[in-house]
Amino acid sequence: MLPTPDIKDLDFNVYEPSEDSFLLLDCFEQEIKFLKSYFQQKSPIIIEVGTGSGIVTSFIMSNILPESIFLTTDVNPHAITTCRKTVEYNNSQFSGCFDALQMSLTTGVRKGLVDILVFNPPYVPAEDVPEIPDSERSDTWLDLALLGGSDGMVVTWELLNDLDTTLSEKGIAYILFCARNKPLEVQKIMESRGWKVDVVISRKAGWEVLSILKFYR
Ligand SMILES: C[S@@+](CC[C@H](N)C(=O)[O-])C[C@H]1O[C@@H](n2cnc3c(N)ncnc32)[C@H](O)[C@@H]1O
């Protein structure tokens, strides 16, 4: 089993790594052979959307594809600070390219550039997706980590609808779903748009069933 990054002094405004985060780590541990041979000598550009504590990116940087170019994004400014600290603490040997930017999804990223996209989204069904607080001192930043609007899918669909322009020709997206997101329906819709979709890993977590789907051309 590959080592899990340490998260030091987690800010209470930032999502604490949980079953869903650990499922992503297991997903990448399972995919390591495939990813190394798929990208061979190339340094892929990896973007983690909604990085939170940065645990997933730090894990990939240490254990899976250390020669990559890394970018993380989050709407939550506290997450950006925490992600930077996590990478600094766990990946001190990393001398490649890494940045963490406060922004929604991949809005500022050049189209067609992303080789690997990772997203553990706010997937809990809720009446609405919360507004982005207008002050860093607000105590509602954490709501953005969880509440995903109708079917818990509002933020995820925003990303999926843009996948074609975001990913490079060989690009792959790894996205986490809970059962209430109706991942099999999502799979059918994306397949009807020409995407290949695999369920990489699935696990019961309390009363939730979480799975990670892989989208590629
Ligand atoms: C379930 S948490 C996952 C955190 C971390 N990736 C993990 O696996 O532990 C979802 C994260 O997405 C962020 N988020 C929510 N909406 C977003 C958006 N539109 N763009 C970027 N990040 C977003 C939240 O602030 C939160 O950090």
Side-chain angles (χ1 to χ4, degrees):
M1 196 170 169
L2 297 170
T4 302
D6 277 332
I7 309 298
K8 294 277 172 208
D9 309 322
L10 186 77
D11 183 326
F12 66 90
N13 291 296
V14 177
Y15 187 75
E16 182 172 1
S18 307
E19 299 279 2
D20 45 7
S21 329
F22 299 127
L23 190 65
L24 268 169
L25 305 194
D26 292 345
C27 162
F28 281 102
E29 185 157 352
Q30 198 175 299
E31 287 284 277
I32 188 167
K33 223 167 148 189
F34 158 73
L35 287 170
K36 279 186 189 295
S37 80
Y38 190 71
F39 289 104
Q40 293 185 352
Q41 306 308 330
K42 196 179 161 230
S43 299
I45 297 178
I46 304 182
I47 295 202
E48 188 196 358
V49 175
T51 191
S53 65
I55 189 171
V56 178
T57 287
S58 175
F59 180 83
I60 298 172
M61 202 182 265
S62 300
N63 301 307
I64 312 294
L65 292 166
E67 306 300 324
S68 309
I69 294 162
F70 293 91
L71 178 68
T72 62
T73 77
D74 207 296
V75 279
N76 178 349
H78 305 283
I80 296 303
T81 308
T82 304
C83 169
R84 285 181 189 279
K85 283 189 194 158
T86 299
V87 167
E88 217 173 279
Y89 184 78
N90 292 281
N91 307 87
S92 53
Q93 304 299 314
F94 180 74
S95 58
C97 187
F98 159 73
D99 207 352
L101 298 174
Q102 186 189 0
M103 66 182 184
S104 182
L105 304 179
T106 59
T107 37
V109 178
R110 211 166 80 210
K111 303 293 169 202
L113 208 69
V114 182
D115 296 311
I116 300 178
L117 185 147
V118 187
F119 193 24
N120 177 7
Y123 55 78
V124 176
E127 212 161 290
D128 290 304
V129 173
E131 295 282 323
I132 296 179
D134 51 17
S135 156
E136 208 162 304
R137 290 205 300 264
S138 163
D139 57 5
T140 59
W141 286 105
L142 208 48
D143 295 348
L144 291 162
L146 302 169
L147 308 178
S150 174
D151 286 339
M153 279 299 294
V154 171
V155 182
T156 305
W157 270 124
E158 207 182 314
L159 184 116
L160 287 172
N161 288 337
D162 252 2
L163 211 52
D164 198 34
T165 52
T166 308
L167 289 186
S168 66
E169 208 40 56
K170 279 189 84 177
I172 308 174
Y174 292 90
I175 302 177
L176 186 137
F177 295 83
C178 73
R180 291 179 292 163
N181 302 149
K182 305 177 186 154
L184 292 180
E185 282 181 25
V186 175
Q187 176 169 1
K188 276 193 200 139
I189 294 171
M190 291 302 279
E191 283 171 347
S192 76
R193 295 178 185 178
W195 292 92
K196 297 194 176 87
V197 186
D198 299 336
V199 181
V200 183
I201 193 168
S202 204
R203 182 176 300 157
K204 200 163 181 316
W207 49 273
E208 279 289 11
V209 178
L210 303 175
S211 30
I212 294 167
L213 270 56
K214 168 175 163 182
F215 300 84
Y216 55 104
R217 293 187 178 89

